[in-house]
Structure formats: C-alpha cells, structure tokens
Amino acid sequence: MAIKRPSLFLLAALHAALRCAWPHYCLSAHYSLSSAVIPLQLCGKLRIDAMNGIMGSLRHIRQLVAIMLSMMCTTHAFIPPTTTTTLQQQIHERITTTISSAIIFAAVLTSPISIHTHDNNFFIPSIQRSDVMAMTENQQMVADVWFAVSAQYFDQSFNGLGEDGWRAKEKEAIQKVADTGPDDDDLVANAIKDMLSALDDPYTRYLPREKYESLTAYATNNNAGGNSGGIGVQLLEDPRSKNVMVMAINKGSPAAASGVQVGDEIIKVNGESMVGASADVVAAKCRGEAGQKVEIDFIRKSDNGKESKEHMILTRAKVNPNPIETSTFDSKLGKVGLLKVPSFNTDTVSQMVDGIREVSNDGKVDAIAIDLRGNVGGYMPAGVDAAKLFLPARAHIIAEVGNSNMKTYDADGIGADTSTPLYLLVDKRTASASEIFAASLQDNGRATVVGSTNSFGKGRIQNVQPLENGTGVAVTRARYVTPKGRDIHGVGIIPNLKVNNCEAADTAKTCLSDVV
C-alpha cells in the first residue's frame, strides 16, 4: 500500500492498529516533503493496549515516541541536499508534526478502545469500544511477560496455538492473578509458568528475582568480583527429568575431589530448590567467591535404575577449563592423530591449531580423530571458528533462524586442513556448540561422525530480558539449522557410523577399531 502525504499521526495509528491485530505486516508508505519523496517502512511489534490504565498508557506512549523519533530520523536521512533555509523548515515541520501527533495519540491511548483489522490481507482497521478495565500491577506483569515472548519467540505459530490461542492463554493467566496482591509472588509466578507451558518449550521460562539476579551476575562475572570461583562442572537440562544434570567434570576441580559424578542431577543449591531451573541459573548459583562453601543436593541414579539422594558441601575454587589433549595411535589406516576436546571456549581454536601441529610432529598423520564425547558445548562462536579450520572458503557452517530473520555463518577463508580424513566421536552428552561443529563438518562431507548414540540435540538460542520489577524472562529467539537444512533439536546428530563400543569409558582407539 502506498500513502502520499500521510500525517505522522496516521502512520503511527495505522502501525499501532495493525501490529495489535496482525504481527507479521510491513506498512510501506511514501512521504512527500517539498521536493523529496521519502520511503518509509514500518515493521516490528508494537502492542497497543489502551485499556490498561494510566500507567500502561504512559509505557506505550514512550514506545510511540521512540517510533516517531525513529521515523523522523529515517526520513531525514533520505532528504536530498537542499538549501539551509529549506532544510531548517523541513526539520521544524517534522518536529512540530511529531510533537502534535504524540499529544493527539496520547489522548487516544488513554481511552478504552481496542483496534482490530477485518482481514489480514487488508490494511483497514476498525475501532471498537473495549470492555477491558485497567489492569492491576500483577496483571500487567503477566501481560509484560506475554508481550516479551510474543515479540521474540522463534515459532510464531506458538506451538500450534495460533495467535488467537496464544492470546487466550494470556487472558487466562491475567484472570488467574486478578485478585492477587503485592505479597502473592508465587501465585503470579505459577500463573505465568502455566501460560508459558503451553509453548512446550523448557527453555522459555519466567525468572523470579533471585534467579534473574544470580543469572545476570554470573553472565557479567559480578557475583564475586575478581575472586569468582565455582565447583568445576558442565551442566545441561535432562529432557526426561527436566532437572539439570552434571554432564562433565573438570579435572582437579572441587567437584572431582568431592566425588560428584557425571549423571548426577542437582536439585538444591544452598537449600534453594533448583527443580525446573535452567542450567545457566544452576551454574550461577554454584558460583560465588572462591574459598566459600556451597551445599548441593543431588539425585544419583545407579545402573539398575535406583535413585539415591546425595548431600555434599564443596569449597568453591578458581577452575580452569580442561585443555585439549593430544595423542596418536596406529591403526590399519596408518597413523591417527587424536584431539580430545572437552569444551568450547575462547582458547579452543588456538589449542586445536596447536594440537594439529603436535600430532604431526613425528610425520604426517593419515587421519585425524576429534573426540567430542562429553563435550556439552560452551562458547558458540568457538564451535563456528573451529569448523572453519577444516572447511573451504564460503562453506556454510550454521544458520540462526528467528521469527522474521536468518543469520548465517560461513567459512571466510580456506581452512588449515581441508583434506586429511577426519573422524568425529560423539555421544549423548555431545551438545550445543560441539553439535554445531560436528553438524557443519558432517553436512559438508568433510567428516565422518562415529558414535554409539545420537548426540544430545540442543539447537535453540535464548535471550534473557529484564522486566520492570527486577524479574526476567528467558525466551527462545531462534533455532539452529545445519547446512543441509536439518533442525537437530531434540533429535541430535545421527552418526554416519554407529558402533557398539564407543561409550564414555571406551578409548577413542576402541571406538574407531572397526573404522580406521
């Protein structure tokens, strides 16, 4: 649709109305200003709930002003060179129109209306009276969580609910907290959790104040200043129990010294329940000042399926990531260079380059094996950069696919080794960044994946967004897609060669005994 000489108020009103009713549109217009014809395109999510009372209206007015300022800056960028006097007039005209439009639209926002469209194929809004009354603070909290998820969530079908079904979940949650007060945090949190559970996505979750603060302190390394310590474990959510499981243990760490085992599920940290918490939150709770003690409760499962509870008191310490270990062994194929990669961090790529050199010190190797068993990932860019070492220029590595955009990662140069036969060992604990690394090499035909089972299957990306009362919400904003278009989430990487002797206790040589 093209509109000639629309007022800023008309554009803003149309934008607000259409976003309220249809979150996938783009409104295009041509704004004629003196001799300039300025193209505008308004895309994005703006929710106008004019019925939420004065405080809600003020929040939306701030959003509106930001949009109008963006429009003003955008149009100014397209104005061709002209005389100073004319330019000043244009800027004055634009500012005057913007301010007056904001005042008019602020009045509209404070009246109880709802804006809809008759048909998603037409940009024709209708305005109707609304029966919705002003929201309480707790109801506004529910609405804010719903809006944060709606704006970012990667699956705009909302797990098949559709937009109407997802909006109905918001209304149900708002109704549940209608009679709650300032001391009913648990009731509000449960209503939000029930609403988000409809998405069937364990990674999209509400973060109460304590968990949000711990998570942000952990992310910014501010929980213990420069003396931060941990217990030396790598964690992931168990998709079956929904608890956070120990997937790997750093050598020489407090966890290793205390007898923590791979497979232990953390259910409490310092007496606080971790049931339903994310791996990042549990990791944040385990960290703190080096030298301080932390109490952790585990569930431990034996080989026969029996469960026992373990209570341990560990002393936090500075923990360094396990480095890449290198070795060689002889096979029927010849000399095999082995790199054991325990995790992906900022040092992984340089260590991998050094490792390739080390295994070749005694002469050229006939194959390289990279052991990713027990590698739960870590720093995603390191997985991408490590893949570049083995791929030709412009090879696709991975893509992040969100609700309206896609970001691709490609090899930007010729890798250090693009020809030596390459074998990757995986197991059910191989996850996240290590899966990105393995999937890119598998899909490009550069490596053969070997293992007894599929990898873990973690192919989602989250954002953590703060809310106004000190809480937060984690939202799955995108999914990973491999070069061949595979979504490995919940499925994992399927080995090219499945072998029966490649469990955690088996050596890499044993895993590859029937392969190389």
Side-chain angles (χ1 to χ4, degrees):
M1 177 182 71
I3 305 175
K4 191 172 183 181
R5 293 187 179 276
S7 69
L8 289 178
F9 167 67
L10 176 59
L11 283 176
L14 277 174
H15 180 62
L18 294 169
R19 285 318 289 181
C20 179
W22 185 20
H24 298 294
Y25 89 103
C26 284
L27 172 61
S28 297
H30 288 85
Y31 199 101
S32 297
L33 184 62
S34 299
S35 61
V37 178
I38 303 148
L40 295 176
Q41 190 175 56
L42 304 181
C43 301
K45 296 179 183 296
L46 172 66
R47 182 172 175 232
I48 300 299
D49 283 333
M51 308 77 70
N52 292 352
I54 298 298
M55 294 307 296
S57 296
L58 289 176
R59 177 164 36 249
H60 296 312
I61 289 170
R62 290 199 302 269
Q63 292 177 327
L64 173 66
V65 170
I67 287 175
M68 287 186 169
L69 290 175
S70 174
M71 289 166 58
M72 184 175 65
C73 294
T74 302
T75 57
H76 176 54
F78 280 93
I79 295 174
T82 183
T83 64
T84 304
T85 302
T86 303
L87 184 58
Q88 289 175 343
Q89 292 173 348
Q90 293 171 349
I91 293 174
H92 180 268
E93 175 188 350
R94 188 55 48 84
I95 292 175
T96 302
T97 307
T98 300
I99 293 174
S100 61
S101 298
I103 294 172
I104 295 170
F105 204 59
V108 174
L109 282 173
T110 56
S111 64
I113 64 171
S114 60
I115 308 173
H116 307 277
T117 54
H118 292 298
D119 191 312
N120 285 348
N121 295 319
F122 296 95
F123 295 102
I124 305 175
S126 64
I127 301 178
Q128 303 171 351
R129 298 289 298 181
S130 172
D131 297 327
V132 180
M133 303 303 292
M135 288 187 180
T136 66
E137 186 172 333
N138 287 340
Q139 287 178 315
Q140 187 61 54
M141 172 58 57
V142 172
D144 286 346
V145 172
W146 183 91
F147 177 55
V149 174
S150 300
Q152 302 178 59
Y153 199 59
F154 79 106
D155 174 15
Q156 287 294 289
S157 77
F158 301 105
N159 194 34
L161 293 171
E163 190 174 342
D164 290 340
W166 174 232
R167 195 179 290 274
K169 293 297 180 182
E170 178 201 26
K171 292 179 180 178
E172 290 175 12
I174 287 174
Q175 187 60 40
K176 286 180 182 179
V177 301
D179 299 323
T180 58
D183 298 325
D184 294 324
D185 290 348
D186 289 343
L187 293 175
V188 176
N190 288 333
I192 293 173
K193 289 176 183 177
D194 288 344
M195 176 179 72
L196 297 180
S197 68
L199 300 174
D200 194 25
D201 176 8
Y203 301 106
T204 295
R205 67 188 77 202
Y206 173 67
L207 300 172
R209 184 176 289 103
E210 300 80 9
K211 288 185 170 62
Y212 176 73
E213 289 175 352
S214 296
L215 181 58
T216 52
Y218 170 62
T220 56
N221 202 27
N222 289 332
N223 53 346
N227 194 34
S228 177
I231 62 172
V233 293
Q234 295 182 52
L235 305 172
L236 271 181
E237 291 100 323
D238 185 340
R240 295 172 294 277
S241 68
K242 307 300 183 183
N243 290 331
V244 173
M245 179 185 295
V246 175
M247 303 292 278
I249 301 172
N250 290 44
K251 293 180 179 179
S253 66
S258 301
V260 177
Q261 297 180 10
V262 170
D264 286 350
E265 297 178 4
I266 297 178
I267 55 174
K268 286 184 180 180
V269 178
N270 286 333
E272 181 181 349
S273 174
M274 294 292 108
V275 175
S278 69
D280 287 338
V281 167
V282 176
K285 290 290 185 181
C286 290
R287 293 188 64 82
E289 187 174 351
Q292 289 189 342
K293 295 187 182 300
V294 57
E295 297 188 30
I296 302 180
D297 291 274
F298 302 92
I299 291 178
R300 180 170 294 170
K301 297 178 181 178
S302 62
D303 293 337
N304 59 13
K306 290 185 178 180
E307 293 185 355
S308 62
K309 291 187 177 181
E310 305 286 336
H311 178 81
M312 297 184 187
I313 301 176
L314 296 83
T315 302
R316 297 183 178 104
K318 287 188 174 294
V319 179
N320 294 318
N322 291 335
I324 292 177
E325 299 177 1
T326 62
S327 61
T328 60
F329 63 88
D330 294 325
S331 70
K332 57 189 177 184
L333 187 65
K335 181 183 175 183
V336 178
L338 175 63
L339 280 67
K340 170 65 176 173
V341 183
S343 65
F344 283 91
N345 55 63
T346 53
D347 296 326
T348 298
V349 175
S350 61
Q351 289 184 13
M352 195 172 284
V353 171
D354 292 340
I356 295 172
R357 291 196 189 105
E358 287 176 15
V359 298
S360 302
N361 279 343
D362 297 331
K364 185 178 183 300
V365 293
D366 299 293
I368 294 175
I370 299 179
D371 193 347
L372 299 171
R373 292 175 298 167
N375 184 328
V376 301
Y379 185 50
M380 176 267 187
V384 172
D385 290 340
K388 293 178 182 179
L389 296 176
F390 302 97
L391 291 172
R394 295 184 295 280
H396 295 307
I397 296 174
I398 202 73
E400 292 180 7
V401 181
N403 59 18
S404 61
N405 65 308
M406 181 173 70
K407 180 180 180 180
T408 60
Y409 297 86
D410 300 330
D412 46 17
I414 299 175
D417 187 339
T418 61
S419 59
T420 304
L422 189 61
Y423 297 89
L424 309 179
L425 306 183
V426 302
D427 65 5
K428 60 185 177 183
R429 296 178 296 146
T430 304
S432 196
S434 58
E435 289 180 297
I436 291 173
F437 173 76
S440 64
L441 297 179
Q442 184 185 50
D443 276 10
N444 280 286
R446 178 64 186 89
T448 300
V449 178
V450 181
S452 299
T453 64
N454 292 5
S455 63
F456 184 83
K458 172 71 165 64
R460 297 290 183 263
I461 311 164
Q462 285 75 44
N463 268 352
V464 176
Q465 179 173 324
L467 301 173
E468 290 191 357
N469 66 344
T471 62
V473 58
V475 184
T476 300
R477 67 169 179 82
R479 60 191 177 97
Y480 289 126
V481 177
T482 72
K484 287 188 175 180
R486 292 184 295 160
D487 182 347
I488 63 172
H489 190 74
V491 178
I493 298 170
I494 302 171
N496 299 102
L497 298 174
K498 281 204 171 185
V499 295
N500 297 321
N501 51 354
C502 201
E503 300 297 336
D506 295 314
T507 65
K509 184 176 181 179
T510 300
C511 290
L512 294 168
S513 59
D514 295 329
V515 179
V516 296

